[in-house]
Amino acid sequence: MQRTQSTIRRIGRYVAEQPLRLISILGLTLLSAGMTLAAPYLLGRALDRYIIPQQFDGFLTICLLLFAVYAVGSLVSWLQAYMLADVAQRTVWQLRRDLFRHLQRLPIPFFVTRTHGELMSRTTNDVENVSTTLNQTLVQMITSLITLVGSFAMMVALNIWLTLVALVTVPLIFFVSKWISGVTKQQFKAQQQHLGRLNSFIEERVSGQKVVALFHQEARTLAQFSEQNEQLRQAGTKAQIYSGLMGPVMNMIGHFGYLLIAGVGGWLTLHDQATVGVIVSFLGYSGQFNRPIRELANQYNLIQSGVAGAERAFEIMDAPSEYGNPAGQTLHSLGSVSGKVEFKDVSFHYAEGKPILKQVSFTADPGQTIALVGPTGAGKTTIVNLIGRFFEHTSGSILIDGKPIELLDRDALRRQIGIVLQDAHLFSGTIADNIRYGKLDATDAQIEAAARQANAHSFISKLPHGYDTQLAAEGGNISHGQRQLITIARAILADPALLVLDEATSSVDTLTELAIQEAMKTLLAGRTSFVIAHRLSTIRGADQILVVQEGGIAERGTHEQLLDRQGLYAELHGKQFQTAATS
Amino acid sequence: MKLMRYIKPYGWVALLAPLFMLLEVAMDLLQPRLMASIVNDGVTAGNLDHIVHTGLIMIGIALVGLIGGVGCTVFSTIASQRFGTDLREALFAKVQHLSSRTLDRFGAGSLVTRLTGDITQLQQLVLMVLRMLVRCLFLAGGSIIMAVTISPKLSLILLVMIPLLVVFLIVTTRATVPMFGTVQKRLDSVNTVLQENLSGIRVVKAFVRGDYEERRFGEANTSFRDASMRAARIAALNGPTMALILNFSIVGALWYGGALSKDGSLPVGDLAAFLTYVTELLFSIVGLGGQLQMIAKAKASADRVNEVLDARTGRDAGVAKAAAAAPGRGLLEFKDVSFRYGEEADGETLSGIQFRAEPGQTIGIVGMNGAGKSTLVGLIPRLYDVSEGAVLIDGVDVREMEPQRLHGQVGMVLQQAHLFTGTIRDNIRFGRPEATDDEVEAAAKAAQAHEFIVGLPKGYDTELGQRGVNLSGGQKQRLSIARTLLTKPSILILDDCTSAVDLNTDQRIRASLQSLMKESTCLIIGQRIASVAHADRILVLEDGRITASGTHAELLRRSALYRNIAASQEGA
């Protein structure tokens, strides 16, 4: 409950950033409520004063007055809805903007531990829930409150005894709605859980459809799907039925209250305690008195889902940003970097007791090419991730140009580093746009030059639309090797002082790789580079080769030195050329 | 509305819902009538007995109304939930049989949205139609009937009001539907930017493009907001305008009714009841307006679902002519095979492919990126179908084989190792759920995966995250090899599936394959010459054609491309 309140307050702060609109909405709401209350009063007067006594002097005036009240009421409620749409949309716009901004500032491990589907859902579906809730409850609540108070005042003014009778149903409404929404909340929770489970099953099986087809497991997959689908149906049916009870039951209570008032009212008129007109007006007000209570009960579910949505969104915003500087140290500015990188006893672990890197030390002098080799999972990628501060090392120190890395401005540091990753991530857009990502103000000529250097120009110019070819988000229209070439061109264009190639050419055929290597030589010259590769041919020209094994450096040296040692490297190297040598 | 057929099996349930609703509405409509009677004959006439008597009837009617309301809720929920469940299942079954090409065209992301969001939308629509729409229609119709029976003369006002309302509804719905379409499209682009940023977060961070991405997201976000606001502002007109039209007719009724009451032809109670019915009509028509817009929104979802349901599966064309034949030994033949992606694609991806692979033989395939290697092997398990020529297994065209048999015989390891949530054991067993633990372990050993698996805290029972996020690329590849080996295929295809495996391990995998798959036909695509050098025959693929074939030694002499590739790997 405490959490709900603080979430509501937090949304409130967002909404409160538009004070002018809020005040106008409040004003319009008051006006509209006034109109809503005036209408039944005028109706009752028309009946009492004119129609029942059959006295029609001034009847036209009251009809015109009623006419005016309705017209103003409609105008006001339109303006109100118009403003409200603005407030709600602007609020969630801001919420989405802040969420996205914060997502950009979160550290990589945050993304590793959560599925994309979930983060997506929080930024869109959950925020959308907030918008719907705001739209449907903000004015509704104010109106409900005003109508409630206003109707009550009118009822009291009309007849105190009838008012007491009308109040009889209020506790009934309160308890019944509390009971129903209590049950419904549980059911909806169960439904959401089943839905979430089914969604991730679908996501996985649809994206792995080829695998399912290759193993001919369609029937079994469908059976598993049906089972989860059926569970969702059962949970959904329960949730819908329970929440659907609210309407009819409230309706019933409404009728009951109406009847009570009519009965007591009839008795009162018989004993000359009230006029027929008063009773007709009173019935109108009692309807207006009960409706907001019923609506608030109905809206309870909606508010719950809005608050739940906001909570999920705020959870992301409360995750600590990687840009925080808790120690308050002054950050070193980073001018042009000469490119000296030192690791001194660097260790790293995600979880205590499960070290990924153990006391790694090495020095890369400016302009050197360092190759990292070793079995999968040895920690090669982790080492280069620490250089870009995608992860923070847990002990030891990393120095760039002699400055401790944790005292460097993160963005300034990353601008000096070009990274090409194995998974070759590209954005939707044209090929030119994707290469330009490395340097936003690059000219077309510079883009083409970079593509030529990466040996991507020849395949790009063969495509029907050349550099303007639209890339699909999940690839498909070009091969994985070709995507890797584009990412290399992107890094070439960025022209960084430090270069990291993490399996950058694993899917590129070796002939093309050889051609790139010529370009790479010019690229690597004058830059400190770290190259991770399985193909030893890629790395034999390196100044230093670090053989990484089980989180530590097992061997180091040049290609020739390591071959002479007859160790792990020599063994790896032997395997690779064995077959070629025997031919 | 072709999707209506999914509600047919539950027709009687779907029919019961409106019937119960009719009950509730009828009871609701009777109430003001009885109210009028209480005012006319009870209150005005001073007859307390009449009030009590009518009051009891009203309570009875309210109870019947409650039964109607609850009944409608129950049956409409059952019908809509079953409808949604069946439709989702039908769509999922369809997606499973889509050809790779169609799957790529839709995109996995979009298919997931269709299976979840769009179907939920349609399910909601069915529920709403069965409950609220029916209620509004009944209430509107009933109110009109009741109003007419009270005073036909007074009801003339409705003749002016109703056409006005209908015209207004049509105009605004027409205006807002395309606006909501725009909103949906803008939302899609917000989602696209977001999705790309999540999957490419490392790239964004590495290039320090946070500000740039914020601007990109800001643009999408702002145009989504603007479109939403425009649509909402127009939609906001609906309620107040309709209320205005109806309220004017109330004033009209009061004025006219006042005149009628002068000659005593309209009792006061009746005038009050008439006003109540007109108000009831107001609410139901306002409700109808809102629901029309929901139907328009759901129409978009229905179109998206239908688009998938109507897509050609591509794989269902196969007529199982050779069903009865005994499982073959795995003789594979390509007869003058050509292939192109789609009708309109310029140029053939593969042309004139012809070769034969005997059981027990290993065929290597080499070539540069984009030469068509993956496409070629994809023709065997029918990930794609040939454009011309034929692929034969044991003399039978793969298109004429029963899918069950084809997939039982052909095992393929894909370039991208796709694993599923579940334990490692379940993942390896994916192709043969009945396999014993010993068999699973044997397959893992052959794929050189056993060692790292037992090194994990929970061994074979380690739970994998979504798509196996907690494993390295090489580990995933080895698991996917083990998964295929377990099915003991007579034709084994390895599509560059050891690219992330280190060379030592790669070597050991090859060695164990050689002894394990002695009887099988093996096709190996490899970037590394070392992966294919031991093959009985190696095909060199260039721009979709086989330009040379032979053993490693022969090709070193005969094929310039092969020589170059080999040389590039020796670093000479």
Side-chain angles (χ1 to χ4, degrees), chain A residues 54 74 86 96 104 106 115 124 199 203-204 218 229 258 269-270 322 376 428 437 507 509-510 577, chain B residues 35 43 46 59 85 88 95-96 116 191 196-197 205 209 213 221 233 240 262 369 421 466 500 569:
Chain A
Q54 294 290 315
S74 275
D86 275 25
R96 265 195 303 268
Q104 292 285 348
L106 288 171
T115 63
T124 54
N199 280 4
E203 210 268 334
E204 205 172 64
E218 286 96 339
N229 202 14
Y258 194 81
T269 30
L270 276 184
E322 65 172 342
T376 38
S428 62
Y437 206 77
S507 294
D509 64 81
T510 47
F577 296 113
Chain B
M35 230 2 257
V43 179
I59 289 190
T85 306
R88 196 180 289 121
V95 168
Q96 287 217 319
T116 55
N191 282 343
E196 281 183 2
N197 267 274
K205 283 190 185 293
R209 288 287 178 261
E213 293 298 334
N221 193 11
R233 283 169 183 172
K262 239 188 262 182
N369 292 129
T421 309
Q466 201 182 18
Q569 294 176 14

Side-chain angles (χ1 to χ4, degrees), chain A residues 479-492:
Chain A
S479 79
H480 194 245
Q482 288 167 335
R483 293 172 83 84
Q484 287 192 330
L485 294 182
I486 293 176
T487 61
I488 292 170
R490 182 168 69 185
I492 289 176

